[in-house]
Amino acid sequence: MQIDLISIFPEFFNSLNLSLLGKAQDSGILKINVHDLRDFTTDKHKTVDDAPYGGGPGMVMKADVWGLAIDSVLKKSKTKPVLVVPTPSGKVFNQKMAQDLSNEDHLIFINGRYEGIDSRVVQFYQSDQRIKAVKEISIGDYVLAGGEVASIVMLEAISRLIPGVLGNEDSTSDDSFALGSMEKLVEGPVFTRPENWRGLFVPPVLLSGDHQKIAQYRLEEAKLRTKANRPDLGEDN
Ligand code: JD8
């Protein structure tokens, strides 16, 4: 999969070279390109924002600069990309969306700042034949200062679903929220050595070797934690 990210803070994405995503780049499964939006400005002050039409607080990012940046990435695109636009007014991200996006060949993440991006940018590319789709996505009901962190969240969730990214010891089959899983349950408690930590002992059933009893224990604990923390998940169970 090819991934392009455009932002006025490109260094934000240095973390994509670590861990899973770093290895996936080394193995060629992922090709990640980061672009500085200011490289597409046309004035000596590298201006990317301006006052909002209609007044109001803050500044809005300029459509003309974003257009030059996105077109430049499209010129190098081999397949029709999906534009992902993190925004608090988008559809809320979930595992199904991560699964769907993990099947794409090329994603372009449009990372806004300030009060957001001139809305004509999304409007323009929604009808652009070079683009497969424009997806405005929110990662949750809280306000961030920009799109970069949201893009990293989505990229981690998407990339680990791409075959070969997760080591064979890890699998997504027992993921919480995994699609098609009968019950949407959150993860239960986990334990490792030492058996006794500060007087707190690992539940004995986990030391019993009785795999049926262990599976039963884990299911019960997952249900208890789901009931306690995510009763909303139970609704469609
Ligand atoms: C993109 C600019 C900041 C948002 C004025 C604060 C996602 N779940 C989410 N919460 N916030 C964002 C998000 C916030 C952004 C941008 C995503 C670009 N801002 C703006 C509107 C109110 N400031 C997000 N995904």
Side-chain angles (χ1 to χ4, degrees):
M1 177 191 282
Q2 179 177 344
I3 295 163
D4 289 89
L5 303 116
I6 308 172
S7 163
I8 59 171
F9 299 126
E11 62 281 7
F12 231 108
F13 301 111
N14 292 350
S15 64
L16 299 179
N17 302 325
L18 305 172
S19 171
L20 275 177
L21 290 156
K23 291 193 188 72
Q25 290 182 78
D26 300 344
S27 64
I29 296 171
L30 291 182
K31 180 81 187 72
I32 299 181
N33 310 307
V34 177
H35 312 271
D36 185 340
L37 182 69
R38 293 193 190 280
D39 293 346
F40 302 92
T41 55
T42 54
D43 66 313
K44 70 175 182 312
H45 303 297
K46 294 186 176 298
T47 305
V48 295
D49 62 317
D50 202 341
Y53 275 118
M59 301 292 271
V60 172
M61 300 192 94
K62 292 166 58 60
D64 48 359
V65 178
W66 272 104
L68 293 174
I70 296 170
D71 287 356
S72 148
V73 173
L74 291 177
K75 279 197 196 72
K76 304 186 203 82
S77 184
K78 301 180 198 61
T79 59
K80 277 196 177 187
V82 170
L83 255 56
V84 178
V85 184
T87 169
S89 56
K91 289 192 175 69
V92 177
F93 190 58
N94 59 29
Q95 193 68 11
K96 173 78 172 53
M97 292 159 84
Q99 187 63 64
D100 293 346
L101 289 169
S102 71
N103 301 326
E104 297 295 336
D105 299 323
H106 187 187
L107 302 177
I108 304 176
F109 287 84
I110 309 299
N111 300 284
R113 281 270 153 178
Y114 308 101
E115 297 310 303
I117 301 171
D118 185 306
S119 301
R120 290 170 289 180
V121 172
V122 164
Q123 183 187 354
F124 176 86
Y125 288 104
Q126 271 169 342
S127 55
D128 186 312
Q129 294 317 306
R130 300 170 292 174
I131 302 282
K132 186 172 183 181
V134 179
K135 298 198 179 280
E136 294 183 283
I137 302 176
S138 165
I139 61 166
D141 297 342
Y142 37 83
V143 179
L144 303 172
E148 290 81 4
V149 170
S151 290
I152 293 170
V153 166
M154 289 188 258
L155 258 180
E156 170 130 341
I158 291 164
S159 56
R160 63 187 296 285
L161 298 172
I162 299 169
V165 168
L166 275 186
N168 47 25
E169 75 282 357
D170 303 329
S171 78
T172 59
S173 59
D174 61 352
D175 269 358
S176 305
F177 318 114
L179 308 179
S181 65
M182 292 310 299
E183 276 183 302
K184 285 208 176 0
L185 295 173
V186 299
E187 303 292 335
V190 293
F191 306 88
T192 188
R193 283 187 285 269
E195 191 182 329
N196 166 5
W197 177 69
R198 298 184 180 178
L200 299 174
F201 286 84
V202 172
V205 64
L206 296 178
L207 311 171
S208 69
D210 181 332
H211 298 301
Q212 195 196 1
K213 278 206 174 71
I214 290 169
Q216 190 52 32
Y217 160 83
R218 285 176 169 162
L219 181 58
E220 280 157 16
E221 290 295 318
K223 285 182 175 175
L224 283 173
R225 189 175 274 193
T226 303
K227 197 165 182 351
N229 300 339
R230 295 297 308 278
D232 58 298
L233 282 180
E235 270 129 33
D236 54 8
N237 268 350

